Amino acid sequence: MAGYFSVAVVELIVFLSCFELVTRYRCWHEIKRGNLAASLATGGKIFGLCNILRFATARSTIYEFMAWSFVGAFLLFLAYIMFEFVTPVFRIDKEIAEGNVAVGFIAMAVSVSVSYVIGACIA
């Protein structure tokens, strides 16, 4: 299990960094400023990634765990990109950067919900 933990931490850091690169705002800078919307959205991403990692631990070998957790995290990443793309009414990243808590909450809910669907498919 110790091997799973260290791989999971590395994957969590890598994918959070990927999310940071694609958002039009700096997640941790906005959180430091007190932006609750950014905090909710980032918390949803962290929870979603950890939830996928939880389901991936059901795999028998560390290599299967790494492969399935990578696939799951990549799918969550794609879901985030699609969420931004299929919301034509407003720009998700722009609203979160401006502190729109309702949009931050929806972004969190999408990340959490999609992670459960991905995790169920992995398990």
Side-chain angles (χ1 to χ4, degrees), residues 44-45 47-52 54-55 72 76 79 109-122:
K45 293 170 196 167
F47 182 89
L49 289 168
C50 289
N51 191 41
I52 289 169
R54 178 180 68 93
F55 280 105
L76 185 65
V110 166
S111 294
V112 170
S113 301
V114 169
S115 78
Y116 273 99
V117 173
I118 293 168
C121 292
I122 289 173

Side-chain angles (χ1 to χ4, degrees), residues 74-92:
F74 182 73
L75 291 173
L76 185 65
F77 185 74
L78 284 179
Y80 179 80
I81 300 297
M82 286 177 56
F83 175 55
E84 176 76 37
F85 180 71
V86 299
T87 311
V89 177
F90 51 84
R91 305 298 302 165
I92 303 294

Side-chain angles (χ1 to χ4, degrees), residues 20-120:
E20 182 84 21
L21 290 173
V22 298
T23 56
R24 294 190 176 108
Y25 59 93
R26 294 177 47 214
C27 302
W28 300 108
H29 175 73
E30 289 296 320
I31 291 169
K32 185 178 179 185
R33 271 188 345 114
N35 185 335
L36 184 58
S39 178
L40 288 168
T42 303
K45 293 170 196 167
I46 292 169
F47 182 89
L49 289 168
C50 289
N51 191 41
I52 289 169
L53 293 171
R54 178 180 68 93
F55 280 105
T57 58
R59 297 298 171 177
S60 58
T61 68
I62 189 78
Y63 301 110
E64 288 179 336
F65 165 75
M66 288 174 20
W68 283 107
S69 59
F70 179 82
V71 167
F74 182 73
L75 291 173
L76 185 65
F77 185 74
L78 284 179
Y80 179 80
I81 300 297
M82 286 177 56
F83 175 55
E84 176 76 37
F85 180 71
V86 299
T87 311
V89 177
F90 51 84
R91 305 298 302 165
I92 303 294
D93 286 347
K94 181 177 178 271
E95 293 294 324
I96 290 173
E98 292 174 358
N100 188 333
V101 176
V103 174
F105 182 80
I106 290 296
M108 178 188 72
V110 166
S111 294
V112 170
S113 301
V114 169
S115 78
Y116 273 99
V117 173
I118 293 168

